Amino acid sequence: MATIIIDDESEDIEDGSPILEACERLGVPFSCQAGNCATCVIVVREGMENLEPLNQIEKDMRLGSKERLACQAIIREGTVRATW
């Protein structure tokens, strides 16, 4: 079981799962949910190594080194602490 923490609120999710739904429940704003708008950019404070590598959509977005799209990121395992 993995954990996503957004601004000190947490949600447990299955290992290997997209973080989209958990982040939405934790207050991250979403618009397109397809990686086109960047509304859901989160800043990962801890646990970047627990996320799958950037997908092509995230690479094309040219995110900062600590940024991920909550609509695209997949958590491998462990805990990820982020803010938006």
Side-chain angles (χ1 to χ4, degrees):
M1 189 66 68
T3 304
I4 181 83
I5 303 168
I6 304 290
D7 297 329
D8 297 322
E9 292 188 41
S10 66
E11 180 104 12
D12 292 332
I13 56 177
E14 293 293 320
D15 290 349
S17 297
I19 64 171
L20 188 154
E21 290 180 11
C23 287
E24 190 169 39
R25 288 189 292 272
L26 293 170
V28 175
F30 287 88
S31 186
C32 73
Q33 296 187 359
N36 296 320
C37 70
T39 302
C40 67
V41 171
I42 59 173
V43 177
V44 178
R45 302 286 186 210
E46 296 174 24
M48 183 69 86
E49 69 279 3
N50 295 328
L51 295 172
E52 291 290 339
L54 296 172
N55 66 19
Q56 193 60 49
I57 292 169
E58 291 175 297
K59 288 177 185 175
D60 292 346
M61 187 79 54
R62 295 188 177 145
L63 299 171
S65 64
K66 294 184 180 189
E67 294 178 326
R68 295 298 300 265
L69 294 177
C71 71
Q72 299 295 306
I74 296 173
I75 193 166
R76 293 179 190 168
E77 62 185 1
T79 300
V80 172
R81 181 179 301 274
T83 189
W84 62 274

